[in-house]
Amino acid sequence: MDLNQSYRSFVLAIAQNETFKKLVMTRGKNFARRFVAGDTLEQALAAVEGLEQDGVHAILDLLGEMVTSEAQSREFQAEIVRLVRAFGTRPYPRYVALKLTQLGLDLSEDLAFSLMTEILIEARKADCFVRIDMEDSPRVDATLRVYRRLREGGFDNTGVVLQSYLKRTERDLEELLPLKPAVRIVKGAYKEPAEVAFQDKRIIDSQYLLLAKKALEHGLYTAVATHDPRIIEEMKRWTAERGIGKEGFEFQLLYGVRRDEQKKLAAEGYTVRAYVPYGTDWYPYLSRRIAERPENLVFVARSLVQG
């Protein structure tokens, strides 16, 4: 395991500690605002306005995951529908992301499929694209099954995410090719065992480029979701060399991360979207952001000290 993976494992393990969690939830909100637009939909829509001024579009995401009851699933669905409708009143590209465990995937695939279907019907009315985020490895198969059912049901306003650190992902991409999916390629942010996930950053990066290039070679509209400057530059070079137009893919980065790069890419004519999370259930998302870079742990420690 390389140093990056060791650091990530350490942080994600600490994040499970209830004392640490309580401390961050009460005193770390200033740091959280680096990555989370706010607690409310109204704050998230205000963040969209700010991004659009820089030529950057938004992906809105109501935070929350792994609900434990059907009632909670339906509450999340109602809030996501409210998000879609509110976003639909704005004169910008509309793009929403969600996790199927928000819609009860762990309770029933049929429940998640049914609730997602209703969301996609509302999204069609609002000309809104809905991305299904990928979660940890035990949920990949169920997520892909629901995605396939949705596409087979005629919904083309949805897409899926593939994680380059999972050893299975190249096969998953190949099996999805007949559906011509809109894919987002990410490295992966969950703590995964060596049996299922690559642990060496160099291999993960290599797999990332392999997946992104294979998707584009097969004509898939591809979201290149990374902050890694080497990967960004390589994808710019490779697509130009292959004659793949800027309309065939886009760059996606996280809200609050590399803002200057987001503006720079947009000014160069690329489609750029920032992933804008909001809501009160921000701790799991924040812990994964802290785990990505040692510098983030320094920021959160400072925030805890300063309150």
Side-chain angles (χ1 to χ4, degrees):
M1 184 180 291
D2 66 18
L3 288 175
N4 289 285
Q5 289 300 108
S6 297
Y7 168 75
R8 174 184 289 182
S9 297
F10 168 74
V11 171
L12 291 178
I14 291 294
Q16 300 303 311
N17 180 278
E18 285 300 317
T19 301
F20 181 79
K21 178 179 178 179
K22 194 174 296 183
L23 183 63
V24 173
M25 290 289 289
T26 54
R27 296 180 62 84
K29 205 161 188 176
N30 287 340
F31 175 74
R33 285 294 171 263
R34 247 179 99 85
F35 303 108
V36 179
D39 291 341
T40 68
L41 173 56
E42 291 68 33
Q43 289 172 312
L45 290 171
V48 173
E49 299 277 353
L51 289 167
E52 287 289 344
Q53 291 176 13
D54 293 327
V56 177
H57 306 310
I59 305 167
L60 288 183
D61 175 33
L62 172 63
L63 290 171
E65 54 197 77
M66 302 180 190
V67 302
T68 56
S69 72
E70 182 173 338
Q72 284 181 305
S73 302
R74 294 190 180 280
E75 287 173 7
F76 261 113
Q77 187 216 34
E79 282 301 308
I80 292 168
V81 168
R82 188 170 83 89
L83 158 60
V84 168
R85 289 173 176 167
F87 207 177
T89 65
R90 304 300 169 108
Y92 309 123
R94 295 130 195 182
Y95 193 127
V96 169
L98 57 78
K99 291 178 171 61
L100 289 182
T101 58
Q102 292 176 301
L103 304 179
L105 182 68
D106 289 348
L107 304 172
S108 161
E109 285 183 35
D110 287 340
L111 174 63
F113 172 77
S114 174
L115 296 181
M116 185 66 182
T117 296
E118 293 171 16
I119 289 170
L120 290 176
I121 289 170
E122 287 295 327
R124 273 180 177 166
K125 298 174 187 176
D127 190 23
C128 178
F129 183 81
V130 183
R131 177 77 66 179
I132 300 173
D133 281 338
M134 191 57 75
E135 301 181 66
D136 55 354
S137 59
R139 295 175 172 85
V140 173
D141 282 322
T143 300
L144 292 178
R145 282 194 296 268
V146 172
Y147 173 71
R148 285 180 178 277
R149 288 176 65 185
L150 292 165
R151 291 298 309 281
E152 290 163 0
F155 292 103
D156 57 5
N157 59 333
T158 185
V160 73
V161 177
L162 297 175
Q163 301 165 315
S164 72
Y165 72 166
L166 293 183
K167 296 177 178 179
R168 60 173 290 166
T169 300
E170 186 176 358
R171 184 183 73 250
D172 287 335
L173 175 59
E174 290 170 354
E175 291 175 353
L176 287 169
L177 288 175
L179 292 174
K180 291 291 181 182
V183 295
R184 174 199 285 155
I185 308 298
V186 302
K187 292 185 182 180
Y190 295 87
K191 182 180 179 182
E192 299 284 2
E195 301 85 64
V196 301
F198 300 111
Q199 305 295 312
D200 188 317
K201 183 180 182 300
R202 291 168 299 180
I203 297 175
I204 295 168
D205 290 353
S206 175
Q207 285 295 111
Y208 188 103
L209 288 169
L210 181 151
L211 293 166
K213 291 175 180 179
K214 178 173 284 193
L216 286 165
E217 285 173 338
H218 283 85
L220 307 187
Y221 187 79
T222 304
V224 180
T226 182
H227 306 108
D228 190 321
R230 290 168 297 183
I231 289 179
I232 290 172
E233 289 305 313
E234 171 60 13
M235 291 307 298
K236 289 165 65 175
R237 183 202 66 78
W238 183 84
T239 52
E241 181 183 89
R242 293 299 182 96
I244 296 172
K246 294 176 181 176
E247 71 282 356
F249 68 102
E250 63 186 50
F251 289 108
Q252 296 185 353
L253 298 91
L254 296 173
Y255 178 74
V257 179
R258 300 199 70 197
R259 295 173 186 173
D260 289 343
E261 179 68 11
Q262 294 179 29
K263 289 189 281 187
K264 175 175 172 286
L265 288 169
E268 291 173 354
Y270 294 97
T271 298
V272 182
R273 297 187 208 274
Y275 186 88
V276 181
Y278 74 96
T280 56
D281 190 17
W282 47 264
Y283 182 77
Y285 176 81
L286 181 67
S287 64
R288 292 193 288 272
R289 299 292 77 76
I290 297 170
E292 286 174 345
R293 299 169 69 240
E295 294 91 335
N296 290 346
L297 186 59
V298 175
F299 287 136
V300 78
R302 186 180 303 148
S303 181
L304 295 179
V305 170
Q306 296 173 350

